[in-house]
Amino acid sequence: MYFRFLVSVVLVVLVSLVGIEIEQDNRSLQQEMLSLRAEQEKLTHQIVSQREEALLLGVTEQKLQALEEGRIALPSPQNPSQLVQSQDRSLQ
């Protein structure tokens, strides 16, 4: 009789420990999601400000749209004679 009670207590403790571990993992993943969202928001603001700056410098809206869609290639910063096609399609 004591053996069954002891086994059930051990089982409850093990389930509790597993639950605590899952909760800790969940919290760390939530913190990572929050930091990624903050970084995404920061990058979004950076894109908006650079787009506004480009418009102020006289780049037309059509050229910006074509650049975002990848229809216009830009010179490579390392080798200006080589054109680089945009790899990022996330803005579409």
Side-chain angles (χ1 to χ4, degrees):
M1 187 159 162
Y2 292 112
F3 179 73
R4 288 183 189 170
F5 176 73
L6 185 62
V7 169
S8 63
V9 168
V10 169
L11 185 63
V12 167
V13 168
L14 287 176
V15 168
S16 298
L17 290 175
V18 169
I20 290 170
E21 183 68 29
I22 290 172
E23 184 65 28
Q24 287 175 344
D25 289 344
N26 189 21
R27 286 185 186 197
S28 68
L29 289 173
Q30 285 177 340
Q31 289 175 349
E32 185 178 345
M33 279 179 42
L34 287 175
S35 68
L36 287 174
R37 284 182 185 160
E39 184 179 347
Q40 180 184 17
E41 189 171 324
K42 177 183 166 189
L43 290 172
T44 301
H45 287 296
Q46 183 180 357
I47 288 171
V48 168
S49 66
Q50 287 181 350
R51 195 172 213 292
E52 289 173 355
E53 185 179 332
L55 288 172
L56 287 174
L57 291 173
V59 177
T60 64
E61 185 70 32
Q62 291 83 11
K63 282 190 179 181
L64 282 176
Q65 190 68 28
L67 181 63
E68 289 173 356
E69 292 173 358
R71 293 180 288 163
I72 296 177
L74 292 175
S76 168
Q78 293 83 14
N79 185 1
S81 64
Q82 178 186 8
L83 293 179
V84 177
Q85 192 70 25
S86 174
Q87 300 290 328
D88 186 13
R89 302 285 183 215
S90 64
L91 298 175
Q92 297 177 356

